[in-house]
Amino acid sequence: MADVLFIQEDYFKKLVGVDGNVDFKKLESTIIMVQDIYIQTLLGTPLYEDLKTKIIANPSLSSYTNEKNLINNYIAKCLAWYVKAESSYSFKFAYQNKGIQVKNSNNSNAADTNDVQLLKDEWTLKAKAYGQLLIDYLMANTSTFPKYLEFTNQGVNSSRKNFINGIYLRDTEYQDEIYRRTNFLDNN
């Protein structure tokens, strides 16, 4: 199936505050990647392909008001923040014949890689939060979007949660030292 974008340039720039001079054509490959990896994982392949088919058939989605609402109010917001996060290094670096170059300008300096990573992490958290809102909306509207719950052997099944938490393992050596020091102070 042809590549279909779930977001328009003006709406993308408005949602995430990207400067108007950013070349949207340079973002299209990142948008397609984010849709294929992140958005398809949230929606599942059946709903994802169904939405792409409907966009191809009717780009304005005027015949599909529920799908238009889903895309504009949930998918596009999640998509925009993932694209901003995933494209952050592409805007810092340029792939050229001489190799990978750090972009520079006469009027400004490129951000430090650590600063870019900090921003990327923040934008990814926002994308995940919007992804959870998308999941919550779809779970509350499964009768409107039955393909969300459809299981498939030909692609990805939809997500039911978007956040993954790590496991906290207590640093016993450090805590034992604190206990010894505290206990020592209490006894003297």
Side-chain angles (χ1 to χ4, degrees):
M1 180 176 283
D3 289 320
V4 175
L5 301 183
F6 286 3
I7 194 164
Q8 301 300 315
E9 180 176 1
D10 294 339
Y11 195 50
F12 169 77
K13 290 179 178 181
K14 175 184 159 191
L15 282 174
V16 294
V18 172
D19 207 322
N21 67 354
V22 171
D23 186 359
F24 192 71
K25 292 284 183 200
K26 291 183 179 180
L27 287 173
E28 284 183 0
S29 63
T30 304
I31 292 170
I32 292 166
M33 180 274 298
V34 166
Q35 286 180 181
D36 288 344
I37 295 173
Y38 297 106
I39 302 302
Q40 184 172 196
T41 301
L42 293 170
L43 301 176
T45 300
L47 180 56
Y48 179 72
E49 293 297 330
D50 182 57
L51 291 172
K52 285 173 65 174
T53 301
K54 289 176 179 173
I55 291 171
I56 289 170
N58 184 351
S60 69
L61 293 173
S62 58
S63 302
Y64 305 104
T65 55
N66 291 325
E67 288 79 358
K68 185 175 184 173
N69 176 55
L70 174 67
I71 290 171
N72 289 342
N73 294 320
Y74 296 94
I75 295 173
K77 291 176 181 179
C78 178
L79 173 65
W81 286 103
Y82 271 124
V83 168
K84 189 172 183 180
E86 290 294 332
S87 64
S88 56
Y89 284 120
S90 299
F91 283 106
K92 180 170 176 56
F93 301 105
Y95 301 98
Q96 299 182 358
N97 290 341
K98 295 185 267 181
I100 299 174
Q101 307 289 314
V102 176
K103 292 182 180 179
N104 202 347
S105 170
N106 295 337
N107 300 333
S108 62
N109 294 320
D112 179 71
T113 305
N114 292 331
D115 293 336
V116 173
Q117 184 61 48
L118 179 74
L119 290 170
K120 181 179 178 182
D121 292 344
E122 179 184 329
W123 297 331
T124 300
L125 281 175
K126 289 178 181 179
K128 287 182 178 185
Y130 276 114
Q132 189 59 51
L133 291 174
L134 169 60
I135 290 170
D136 293 345
Y137 177 77
L138 287 168
M139 289 299 292
N141 293 283
T142 55
S143 60
T144 306
F145 303 102
K147 290 192 178 285
Y148 176 68
L149 297 178
E150 195 174 296
F151 286 98
T152 181
N153 291 329
Q154 303 293 317
V156 181
N157 292 312
S158 60
S159 296
R160 302 296 188 274
K161 64 180 181 170
N162 195 36
F163 288 99
I164 299 172
N165 294 330
I167 299 173
Y168 171 71
L169 299 174
R170 183 173 73 113
D171 183 357
T172 56
E173 195 173 307
Y174 173 73
Q175 289 184 342
D176 288 347
E177 179 64 25
I178 290 174
Y179 176 76
R180 278 193 287 276
R181 288 181 183 182
T182 305
N183 204 16
F184 174 77
L185 292 173
D186 287 346
N187 290 332
N188 289 325

